[in-house]
Amino acid sequence: MGNSLIEVSEVEVVRRRNLMASGMAVALAGGGAAAYRLSVNGGAGAAGTSGDSTGIPLQLRGNLPERYLALIALDSEGPRGGLRNLVNRVHASAEPGASVGFALGATFFGPRTSLPRQLTAMPHFAGDLLEPAMSHGDLLVHVVGNKAAAIRKTVERIRNTDSAHWTIRWHIDGSRPDNRVEDGRSLTRNPFHFTEGFGNPDTERESLDRALIPPDQNEPQWAVGGSYQVVRIIRFATDLWDKDSVGEQERIVGRQRDGRWLDGTPVDEQPNFAADPTGKLTPLDSHVRLAAPDRRNPPPVVRRSYSYDNGNGDKGIIFSCFQRDLAQGFEAVQKRLEGESMAKYLLTTGGGYFFVPPHGDGWLDALSYSG
């Protein structure tokens, strides 16, 4: 992928915008393995302050993500010497029942700082129509909790934080309908009425092994224990989707709505796509088959996505995944998904690439932004 841009013709832009005006499920299967050892002491919902002792970035704690989310992307308009002060103020803004975490965009780093080696601005992929006002950012604030009111109050307090050099670039809210754990996997229902999350690991330990940077990955020392995060704001053409029969929807996704496989394989087992080479049972251009053609060696990513609804037919998911390696994780899957049968129902309008720093304050010290 690199920095190449995949252009969308004016005709395609008009067609897609008309499609979205009438009213989009993308799911990346999780997978992979790593060898990073951590002390796992906390679960979902643990406080995200610098004083806790879980040793795990907030965004990856526990097998079950909190029910509500807000993402706030900030830009720096001056010297970044006030970052530590900003981080402390954001932590202090958290209402009881809400936790905050952070991730860094490529534009945050100056020419002399130790940049994570794969961190760049998220490129355009086939079919993307990224809105600049909803894409990228220097610092991404991640607010989560199980009470919507606590999230709203925290976001309001962050918005009112007085900072001379930081401004809000974009903000979006999300939730996880039917948020639950089954057989160790966190599941939710997306706006296309399908249960998703079956591709994620069934233990927190395996999730961390897939997502966290190990010491031998040739990353800056301060980045060990962090993770590359991809955020994609994907609008769903729900009105168009709902005109299809349930059977057609299931063939497009490659699973039944409740997660069962089309070839009869139980939901908690992996199907043998090789036994269906022509796609008679599971179509070759179905989402799950393209995303993870070898279910026994799934992509090395961990998904933690949320649904959003901005009104006026603008609804979809805030796709979010974490990995050690962008090329082997998200980008490999995204490349395989080009031409999937679901593409006409989806439009990615924003998001970005970010780096989630390790737990604690060491990253602030290492980047020498005191202030």
Side-chain angles (χ1 to χ4, degrees):
M1 306 289 178
N3 294 321
S4 62
L5 299 182
I6 300 175
E7 300 295 335
V8 182
S9 70
E10 291 184 5
V11 172
E12 178 66 4
V13 169
V14 172
R15 186 188 73 80
R16 283 177 173 264
R17 290 205 180 281
N18 288 340
L19 176 66
M20 293 305 137
S22 64
M24 277 180 160
V26 74
L28 287 178
Y36 185 79
R37 294 192 175 186
L38 288 172
S39 172
V40 182
N41 299 315
T49 64
S50 59
D52 67 35
S53 58
T54 63
I56 301 168
L58 171 83
Q59 294 89 327
L60 286 161
R61 292 181 195 159
N63 263 19
L64 182 64
E66 286 86 344
R67 185 176 178 185
Y68 298 102
L69 164 84
L71 293 180
I72 306 171
L74 304 175
D75 279 342
S76 173
E77 295 185 342
R80 289 165 172 77
L83 177 63
R84 187 186 299 273
N85 182 51
L86 176 69
V87 166
N88 290 337
R89 289 189 180 194
V90 170
H91 276 307
S93 298
E95 290 282 320
S99 301
V100 296
F102 301 90
L104 305 168
T107 52
F108 166 83
F109 293 87
R112 292 182 295 176
T113 54
S114 187
L115 178 76
R117 62 186 179 88
Q118 295 186 29
L119 187 60
T120 63
M122 183 176 71
H124 288 69
F125 294 94
D128 287 2
L129 288 176
L130 299 180
E131 300 175 9
M134 288 297 296
S135 304
H136 315 302
D138 292 340
L139 183 70
L140 186 68
V141 181
H142 180 103
V143 186
V144 290
N146 288 316
K147 294 182 179 180
I151 300 298
R152 287 195 300 269
K153 291 179 180 179
T154 300
V155 170
E156 181 179 359
R157 294 181 66 181
I158 292 173
R159 282 186 169 277
N160 291 331
T161 295
D162 182 18
S163 178
H165 301 299
W166 293 88
T167 60
I168 294 177
R169 182 179 180 90
W170 55 267
H171 159 230
I172 193 167
D173 298 311
S175 64
R176 288 177 58 89
D178 297 335
N179 193 32
R180 66 192 190 277
V181 171
E182 289 184 9
D183 297 321
R185 291 178 171 84
S186 60
L187 306 179
T188 184
R189 175 174 43 81
N190 64 39
F192 278 169
H193 324 297
F194 277 72
T195 299
E196 60 176 66
F198 293 105
N200 273 336
D202 57 6
T203 66
E204 185 181 41
R205 167 62 60 194
E206 186 179 353
S207 291
L208 299 179
D209 284 347
R210 292 184 184 185
L212 297 188
I213 303 295
D216 60 354
Q217 194 170 305
N218 194 31
E219 293 283 4
Q221 184 61 40
W222 71 265
V224 173
S227 183
Y228 287 100
Q229 179 181 12
V230 176
V231 176
R232 305 268 286 173
I233 301 172
I234 306 174
R235 189 170 178 178
F236 286 12
T238 52
D239 288 351
L240 183 65
W241 178 262
D242 288 340
K243 292 178 180 178
D244 291 337
S245 68
V246 172
E248 177 63 15
Q249 293 172 356
E250 292 177 339
R251 288 183 61 79
I252 291 171
V253 173
R255 282 183 183 265
Q256 297 183 39
R257 282 188 171 185
D258 61 3
R260 288 179 294 169
W261 296 101
L262 300 186
D263 66 358
T265 301
V267 67
D268 58 346
E269 298 181 14
Q270 302 301 334
N272 182 11
F273 289 147
D276 180 26
T278 63
K280 182 178 180 180
L281 299 176
T282 305
L284 300 180
D285 63 351
S286 65
H287 181 81
V288 298
R289 186 152 185 172
L290 289 174
D294 181 0
R295 301 299 302 188
R296 290 159 180 78
N297 293 286
V301 300
V302 175
R303 296 185 61 236
R304 296 216 162 179
S305 298
Y306 286 75
S307 297
Y308 78 87
D309 187 348
N310 289 334
N312 298 319
D314 181 6
K315 63 174 62 175
I317 64 168
I318 309 165
F319 170 84
S320 182
C321 72
F322 303 85
Q323 57 258 289
R324 300 171 54 194
D325 188 295
L326 285 168
Q328 296 180 19
F330 167 77
E331 291 183 351
V333 176
Q334 191 68 20
K335 181 65 176 178
R336 289 197 297 268
L337 288 174
E338 292 181 10
E340 66 168 326
S341 57
M342 192 186 292
K344 69 178 182 179
Y345 304 92
L346 310 174
L347 184 65
T348 300
T349 60
Y353 283 178
F354 299 93
F355 188 82
V356 178
H359 168 78
D361 291 338
W363 62 281
L364 288 168
D365 299 331
L367 296 179
S368 300
Y369 291 131
S370 60

